[in-house]
Amino acid sequence: MLDKVTRLLLVEDDEDDYILTCDYLEQLGSHTFDVEWLSCPEQAIGVLSENKHDICLLDYRLGASDGLEVLKRAVANGFRGPIIMLTGQSDEMLDSAALDAGAVDYLVKSEMSSGRFARAIRYALARREVEDERVERLKAEAENRSKDRFLAHLSHELRTPLSSILGYTELLMQSEKNQHAQNELGVIYRNGKHLLSLLNDVLDLSKIAADKLELNCSDVNLDSLMADVYTLMRVSAIDKGLSLRFESQQALPLIINSDATRLRQILINIINNAIKFTNHGEIVVRAWTAWVNEREMLFFSIKDTGLGIAPEKQAIIFKPFEQIADVESRDVGGAGLGLAICSELLTRMQGSISLESTQGVGSEFTLSIYPGNIRDVERQRLRFDSNPDYQQKLTTLTTHGRVLVVDDLKDLRILVGHMIASTGADVEYAENGKQAIEKVAAAEKNGKTFDIVFIDLHMPVMGGKEATIELRKMGYQGPIIALTAATMKGVKSELTALGFNDMIAKPLDSGLLYHVLNHYICQGKTDPVVARDDCPAITQQSTRYLLVEDDSDAAQITQLLLESLGVETVIAASYKACLQTLHTDQHFDKVLLDMHLPDGEGLDLAREVKQLYPNLTLVIVSGAEP
């Protein structure tokens, strides 16, 4: 047992029993007791209410008073420690009454031995420790929930203005009237994207701690990505009078499969550190590929002519909150999280990071990632084209529906509305969920139902979740799309359960917005399906897949790929959503199942689906290599 002092309150009016009890306590060599002795019931109730004792021994008879009353009032006043009742003789009714009132045990004085007494005390203290652990666990869980709420709020508050900055910048870049300002707009756009990636990394710190960090891999233009990094970091290097060079030691694959945001952030973080700790000279970034364990890996090195890092520091700089600024240079600093995040990300990207450094000479960081199977990918020496890495997202989509956009921020309402109106749709606006309900009801009454509703989740008066629940209750059957900055794992399945059809993450991606419009009001894939004269619904004879995937990005990308091949694809975001979909519609050629879902495992779902619908063809989709 623990060697700490156990604070014990003995409520006993017989001095002989007090001495006997103290003798028994002294025989418990595993504990040290600080005994407080009281004989007055009222005084005992007051002391117990202070909740400063670890355990209480309470006599049943206290003169003319009843120890049960003391027990009940002590528990009612909040005493959390174990109470053992001491009785003069065995009485089953009394024993039962004591336990019902909150006592953890009772001891009959005439039958009490040192062994029996020791067991009762140890049992009571063990119960106290278990209860303390339970309270601490509940407190920790409450703190974690509070942190999650804070991160969700922080994400919303920061992503919302970024949506306006990036969205309006993109519109200006697409406008023919602003060709003379393309370079300046490109700087705004790239730095806005960089700020967004920084925000994502900060929020992902909590996911790293909880082992919930996920990568979003896709095809990446390596030349454009490195040109972006060069453009961003070149200004910082020039400000310090340094030379920044990017070199390609060999022809490199034009396209790799990786998480572009993470790779960009890793390179920026390490190059930025090199610039901070270099006062004169140059920073050279090199890239090459090499075979490691029968896989072709992509390598980068960042070499500087800076201060260098002491050997004793080299072993700890990849740990969180460790930095070299305090020793080598007082004029730079940071949280000491950058290299720790880089190391964690590279591990998850199936790569690694290493360091060679000599004080007064400089440092070289070498990192590697697995770029996917690049055996047959076209290769060339990198040009480091400095044009902004963005795609013109002009759309040829034509719609004639009625759309309601709901957001409390006017800038975002107008931005989303402008994008949608450019497709030909009629757009109306609401500032909160209450206005949205009123507009939908009025439209239904006038026979001009909205074809689709885009609604922000966090708004004053009434949020998007509450409004969607009410809209479904009043019978609105059109698609409802959530606009949200909260894109953590499990959010989409929660929204689906509330009545949403889909979600678009902030900052808003115009390409994804147009895809959603095409999917829900042009192709008529809502449930029930409503065919439009200008956008006929796909017939049941076409190839149809059910995709069960909780990651919205992966689901959207897979859906786009399949539909480009002529495969109609329906998405279910969870184990439960899959079964609900199949309950009403089994006309699928294949069911693609993710291995890990928020409410179950893909293999368990496969067994259940195969049992219920034996004619369906099932395909397990996994991000892990066999």
Side-chain angles (χ1 to χ4, degrees):
M1 300 297 288
L2 297 176
D3 293 332
K4 66 177 184 179
V5 175
T6 301
R7 294 163 298 179
L8 183 145
L9 178 64
L10 175 61
V11 185
E12 172 65 71
D13 61 353
D14 189 307
E15 184 175 359
D16 291 339
D17 288 336
Y18 161 68
I19 295 172
L20 180 61
T21 301
C22 289
D23 288 341
Y24 284 144
L25 291 173
E26 288 179 1
Q27 296 177 36
L28 280 169
S30 56
H31 286 77
T32 301
F33 292 93
D34 178 9
V35 180
E36 182 176 355
W37 177 31
L38 295 176
S39 59
C40 174
E42 289 298 326
Q43 187 179 5
I45 293 171
V47 171
L48 287 170
S49 299
E50 297 174 5
N51 212 6
K52 62 182 181 181
H53 292 86
D54 299 305
I55 187 172
C56 174
L57 300 179
L58 175 61
D59 190 15
Y60 174 67
R61 288 295 179 189
L62 297 169
S65 300
D66 186 347
L68 280 177
E69 184 62 25
V70 176
L71 172 61
K72 293 175 182 177
R73 290 176 61 183
V75 173
N77 289 343
F79 180 68
R80 296 193 303 270
I83 299 177
I84 298 176
M85 185 70 75
L86 304 176
T87 65
Q89 56 185 6
S90 179
D91 186 324
E92 291 187 4
M93 292 185 61
L94 171 60
D95 299 341
S96 179
L99 296 176
D100 291 342
V104 299
D105 204 348
Y106 60 89
L107 293 172
V108 181
K109 295 179 181 179
S110 61
E111 301 174 359
M112 191 164 59
S113 64
S114 59
R116 174 74 177 90
F117 183 84
R119 285 194 298 272
I121 294 293
R122 290 194 179 100
Y123 170 73
L125 291 175
R127 284 193 53 166
R128 173 63 186 260
E129 291 176 1
V130 170
E131 178 62 17
D132 287 346
E133 290 175 0
R134 186 184 72 85
V135 171
E136 289 301 316
R137 185 176 67 255
L138 292 175
K139 185 187 298 183
E141 291 172 355
E143 290 177 354
N144 287 336
R145 287 193 296 270
S146 178
K147 290 178 183 177
D148 289 343
R149 287 193 296 269
F150 171 76
L151 287 172
H153 178 72
L154 178 66
S155 175
H156 178 286
E157 291 300 315
L158 294 177
R159 286 175 185 268
T160 295
L162 272 176
S163 294
S164 294
I165 293 170
L166 292 174
Y168 280 103
T169 302
E170 193 173 346
L171 288 178
L172 290 172
M173 294 173 80
Q174 294 171 1
S175 172
E176 296 180 358
K177 298 178 181 180
N178 296 288
Q179 294 300 316
H180 63 285
Q182 285 298 304
N183 288 336
E184 291 81 359
L185 291 171
V187 171
I188 296 173
Y189 188 83
R190 290 194 303 275
N191 281 277
K193 284 288 191 181
H194 174 49
L195 183 58
L196 177 62
S197 69
L198 286 173
L199 168 62
N200 289 335
D201 280 335
V202 170
L203 295 175
D204 280 339
L205 286 175
S206 61
K207 295 181 182 179
I208 290 175
D211 196 27
K212 293 183 179 179
L213 180 69
E214 296 178 343
L215 298 178
N216 294 314
C217 294
S218 61
D219 286 344
V220 179
N221 186 308
L222 182 59
D223 197 0
S224 295
L225 183 145
M226 293 194 70
D228 267 358
V229 174
Y230 175 79
T231 303
L232 282 170
M233 303 312 301
R234 181 171 174 268
V235 175
S236 298
I238 290 175
D239 286 345
K240 288 195 68 175
L242 303 173
S243 170
L244 176 63
R245 291 191 292 116
F246 276 37
E247 298 179 353
S248 172
Q249 294 185 339
Q250 63 188 70
L252 294 175
L254 290 178
I255 302 297
I256 63 172
N257 187 269
S258 186
D259 188 319
T261 299
R262 304 302 180 205
L263 179 55
R264 182 185 291 108
Q265 184 55 37
I266 291 168
L267 292 172
I268 288 173
N269 189 292
I270 299 175
I271 295 171
N272 185 59
N273 280 346
I275 293 172
K276 282 199 303 182
F277 293 100
T278 301
N279 295 322
H280 55 81
E282 65 177 1
I283 291 94
V284 180
V285 180
R286 296 186 175 92
W288 70 95
T289 62
W291 287 85
V292 179
N293 296 328
E294 301 182 351
R295 293 200 307 180
E296 191 173 11
M297 304 289 287
L298 177 62
F299 287 84
F300 301 90
S301 73
I302 297 92
K303 187 175 183 179
D304 64 60
T305 55
L307 300 172
I309 303 171
E312 65 271 14
K313 282 290 185 179
Q314 294 181 27
I316 64 172
I317 61 172
F318 295 112
K319 297 179 180 179
F321 304 106
E322 295 290 348
Q323 53 179 291
I324 63 171
D326 293 336
V327 176
E328 275 77 7
S329 175
R330 297 284 181 179
D331 59 352
V332 294
L337 287 169
L339 289 176
I341 295 174
C342 289
S343 178
E344 179 68 30
L345 290 173
L346 287 168
T347 298
R348 294 169 186 265
M349 297 167 81
Q350 304 179 54
S352 62
I353 184 170
S354 61
L355 166 66
E356 291 184 6
S357 183
T358 303
Q359 283 187 284
V361 177
S363 303
E364 181 175 10
F365 286 86
T366 302
L367 58 97
S368 65
I369 65 166
Y370 178 60
N373 187 350
I374 56 174
R375 184 188 298 271
D376 300 321
V377 176
E378 180 184 352
R379 305 187 185 207
Q380 66 179 36
R381 288 189 176 273
L382 299 188
R383 301 185 308 274
F384 305 118
D385 186 355
S386 61
N387 290 330
D389 182 21
Y390 75 96
Q391 293 182 342
Q392 297 283 348
K393 295 185 176 68
L394 295 173
T395 178
T396 57
L397 178 68
T398 300
T399 63
H400 302 287
R402 299 187 72 243
V403 180
L404 179 63
V405 177
V406 189
D407 200 304
D408 59 307
L409 295 178
K410 182 179 179 181
D411 288 347
L412 285 181
R413 284 202 308 273
I414 301 302
L415 174 63
V416 176
H418 177 87
M419 292 178 177
I420 295 172
S422 69
T423 70
D426 295 326
V427 181
E428 291 191 27
Y429 302 94
E431 296 181 9
N432 55 59
K434 186 172 182 294
Q435 282 189 12
I437 293 171
E438 293 170 352
K439 292 219 168 192
V440 170
E444 296 274 0
K445 185 177 180 181
N446 296 327
K448 297 181 178 180
T449 303
F450 287 107
D451 294 277
I452 189 169
V453 175
F454 291 88
I455 187 166
D456 186 29
L457 293 186
H458 303 285
M459 297 178 290
V461 183
M462 179 182 286
K465 294 180 181 180
E466 297 84 354
T468 296
I469 292 172
E470 292 301 317
L471 287 173
R472 293 309 188 196
K473 285 182 180 178
M474 60 188 275
Y476 179 72
Q477 296 184 7
I480 301 177
I481 312 301
L483 303 177
T484 177
T487 57
M488 291 178 286
K489 193 176 181 69
V491 169
K492 190 166 185 179
S493 59
E494 175 195 355
L495 295 178
T496 301
L498 292 176
F500 289 90
N501 294 81
D502 214 328
M503 60 176 272
I504 299 179
K506 294 180 179 179
L508 204 65
D509 182 280
S510 58
L512 182 56
L513 175 65
Y514 296 140
H515 168 74
V516 168
L517 284 171
N518 180 56
H519 179 72
Y520 286 102
I521 69 172
C522 192
Q523 295 184 12
K525 293 181 183 175
T526 59
D527 188 14
V529 175
V530 180
R532 302 173 56 88
D533 294 337
D534 55 335
C535 303
I538 294 177
T539 62
Q540 291 293 335
Q541 284 71 35
S542 64
T543 303
R544 298 181 77 232
Y545 285 5
L546 174 61
L547 173 62
V548 187
E549 170 64 68
D550 65 306
D551 186 292
S552 59
D553 291 335
Q556 295 289 352
I557 291 171
T558 304
Q559 185 182 54
L560 282 171
L561 175 62
L562 290 173
E563 291 185 349
S564 71
L565 300 174
V567 179
E568 178 186 350
T569 307
V570 177
I571 296 175
S574 65
Y575 193 117
K576 182 179 178 181
C578 172
L579 295 178
Q580 289 175 339
T581 300
L582 291 176
H583 180 69
T584 57
D585 182 5
Q586 298 95 47
H587 297 93
F588 295 102
D589 297 277
K590 283 186 173 66
V591 179
L592 309 183
L593 300 172
D594 186 20
M595 284 287 287
H596 305 292
L597 297 167
D599 53 348
E601 292 295 321
L603 291 177
D604 295 334
L605 178 58
R607 283 190 284 268
E608 186 168 354
V609 169
K610 200 63 181 176
Q611 183 177 2
L612 295 172
Y613 312 104
N615 294 326
L616 286 176
T617 301
L618 307 182
V619 178
I620 292 292
V621 180
S622 173
E625 291 191 60

